[in-house]
Structures are given as C-alpha cells and as structure tokens.
C-alpha cells in the first residue's frame, strides 16, 4: 500500500502513521467515532481522547476513551504538540461537515494519515489518500486508487484498477468490480454491486442493494425499480 496526501501527488509513506507524543485525538465523538477508535485500538495506537462541540466532557465514547474537550480546543492542542487527529464523523449523513473538518485539519498542517483496520486487505500496489478510513474486513485490490477523506466501511470490496476520488463513502458490503470510477462526494449504499468499468458521477448516491449496470451522471440518484435500477437527477 502506498499513501499520498493528495490524489495528484506522489506517495510519501508506506503503511505507517505519524505518532503523536500525547496520543491520537478524534475530532467529533458521534457514532462513527467508535468505528475509528476500534481501528486505533486494533492497531495499538495510543489515544488521548475525543473533542466534540455538543457531547459533554467526560462522556465515554468507547471503553477507556472519553470526550476531553470541545472542538474549539483543537488549535490549542495542535500548538501544544498533538500531531495526529482523526475524524470521528462519518459521511452517510454528514458528508459536507466531514469535508469541512478535513479541510480544517489540512489548514492546520495535519491532514490525517490513512487509517486501516488490521483485518482489512489493501494491496501493495493500491494507493490511499490522506484522511481515508478503511474499516474491518474491507478489501482494496491491486492498482486501485482511493482519494482523500474517503470512508470504506466493513466488508466493502474495491477490486483491481478502480479509481475512487476524494470524499467518497462506500457502505458495508458494497462491491466495485474492476475498473470502476467513482467521482467526488459520491455515496455507494449498503450491498450495492457496481458492474465493471462504470462511472459514478460526482455528488451522486446509489441506494442500498442495487445491482448497478449503467453509468450514473453527476448529481443523480440510482434507486430500485422492480428488479432493476433507475437513475434520476437530483438537480
């Protein structure tokens, strides 16, 4: 696996994350934070705690990990030497918020390193962008490229020669066949199967359980119609 900060920049690390002297910080302490913490614990990475604007300080987010401050404490913590911050907000319902927080971390000079659960498989020739999270038992095949700030969830499969652009969510059990191109800010629903070499447009959504056999334009949604799928514009 190679790791790059931006889709169009060369890889800078191999299968490593930057260590922070005080432990990692998770920004936002909602339900997705538990997924992120599950990966960190499986990796054995020290965790300092979570920051959140709404959840009270002291609330336990994950066994042994609590909210330690509000999100507006982030800049001061970075100045104090906290260098590794992960996003604890998912993308299925909060994608624009996740993108905004990712940009905030980039502006602070600490874009999150990719985070990969030990049970996931990422081919040595695959590439992951900064801030991308790969959850348990997901698989990313050879010569595939996943951009920045993506969420590849449990049991999702991205096969060989796929291109997944920035800020994409691939939900549990979805399968992208060979050569699929998923553009920015698309959401691939639970259990979706995407036929080989298709293109899924920017800001589009593929509803749960669809077997997709056609390209999807930008700003569209693919829904069920009987046993097949129908694509409709969102604009």
């Amino acid at each position: 696996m190679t790791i790059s900060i931006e889709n169009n920049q060369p890889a800078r690390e191999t299968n490593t994350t930057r260590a922070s002297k005080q432990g990692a910080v998770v920004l936002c302490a909602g339900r997705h934070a538990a997924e992120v913490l599950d990966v960190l614990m499986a990796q054995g990475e020290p965790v300092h705690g979570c920051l959140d604007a709404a959840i009270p300080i002291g609330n336990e987010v994950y066994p042994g990990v609590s909210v330690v401050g509000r999100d507006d404490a982030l800049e001061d913590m970075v100045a104090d030497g906290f260098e590794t911050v992960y996003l604890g907000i998912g993308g299925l319902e909060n994608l624009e918020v996740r993108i905004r927080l990712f940009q905030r971390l980039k502006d602070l000079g600490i874009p999150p390193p990719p985070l990969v659960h030990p049970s996931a498989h990422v081919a040595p020739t695959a590439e992951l962008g900064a801030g991308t999270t790969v959850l348990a038992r997901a698989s990313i095949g050879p010569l595939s490229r996943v951009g920045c700030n993506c969420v590849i969830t449990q049991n999702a499969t991205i096969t060989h020669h796929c291109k997944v652009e920035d800020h994409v969510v691939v939900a549990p059990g979805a399968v992208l066949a060979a050569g699929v191109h998923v553009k920015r800010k698309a959401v691939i629903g639970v259990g979706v199967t995407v036929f080989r070499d298709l293109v899924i447009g920017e800001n589009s959504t593929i509803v749960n359980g669809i077997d997709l056999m056609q390209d999807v334009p930008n700003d569209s949604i693919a829904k069920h119609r009987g046993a097949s799928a129908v694509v409709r514009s969102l604009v």
Side-chain angles (χ1 to χ4, degrees):
M1 174 182 69
T2 57
I3 299 171
S4 62
I5 287 293
E6 299 290 352
N7 267 347
N8 297 320
Q9 293 183 2
R12 63 176 184 87
E13 297 183 63
T14 343
N15 206 25
T16 60
T17 59
R18 296 168 300 179
S20 175
K21 292 180 181 178
Q22 298 92 342
V25 174
V26 176
L27 182 59
C28 295
R31 288 183 294 182
H32 184 70
E35 302 274 24
V36 173
L37 289 163
D38 186 63
V39 180
L40 293 172
M41 296 301 176
Q43 289 183 339
E45 183 168 350
V47 177
H48 178 73
C50 299
L51 302 178
D52 197 278
I55 298 176
I57 293 172
N59 271 33
E60 189 173 68
V61 181
Y62 187 92
V65 181
S66 299
V67 176
V68 297
R70 291 177 53 84
D71 68 329
D72 56 11
L74 176 64
E75 283 74 9
D76 287 341
M77 293 183 72
V78 171
D80 286 342
F82 287 88
E83 299 176 349
T84 306
V85 182
Y86 297 99
L87 293 179
I89 186 168
L92 286 176
E93 297 177 354
N94 303 290
L95 186 55
E96 291 300 328
V97 177
R98 181 181 171 91
I99 292 171
R100 186 169 70 248
L101 293 176
F102 177 71
Q103 186 61 50
R104 182 178 172 188
L105 295 180
K106 284 182 63 180
D107 292 344
L108 288 169
I110 52 165
L115 186 61
V116 180
H117 194 281
S119 69
H121 172 74
V122 180
T125 55
E127 181 176 334
L128 301 180
T132 285
T133 301
V134 182
L135 297 180
R137 299 178 302 281
S139 178
I140 300 175
L143 300 172
S144 284
R145 191 175 191 183
V146 179
C148 297
N149 196 36
C150 297
V151 182
I152 312 302
T153 60
Q154 291 94 336
N155 296 302
T157 300
I158 297 172
T159 59
H160 59 92
H161 293 89
C162 291
K163 181 179 180 182
V164 177
E165 296 185 7
D166 297 344
H167 317 304
V168 166
V169 178
V170 182
V175 178
L176 308 185
V180 168
H181 180 186
V182 184
K183 295 187 178 181
R184 298 176 73 255
K185 299 167 62 176
V187 176
I188 313 299
V190 176
V192 166
T193 301
V194 182
F195 192 70
R196 62 179 298 165
D197 296 321
L198 294 182
V199 177
I200 297 174
E202 183 173 336
N203 198 39
S204 290
T205 298
I206 313 303
V207 171
N208 296 350
I210 285 178
D211 293 329
L212 190 68
M213 305 288 286
Q214 64 187 97
D215 291 339
V216 176
N218 293 348
D219 303 302
S220 298
I221 185 168
K223 295 183 176 182
H224 290 282
R225 176 181 285 172
S228 60
V230 58
V231 177
R232 294 178 179 170
S233 175
L234 292 171
V235 294

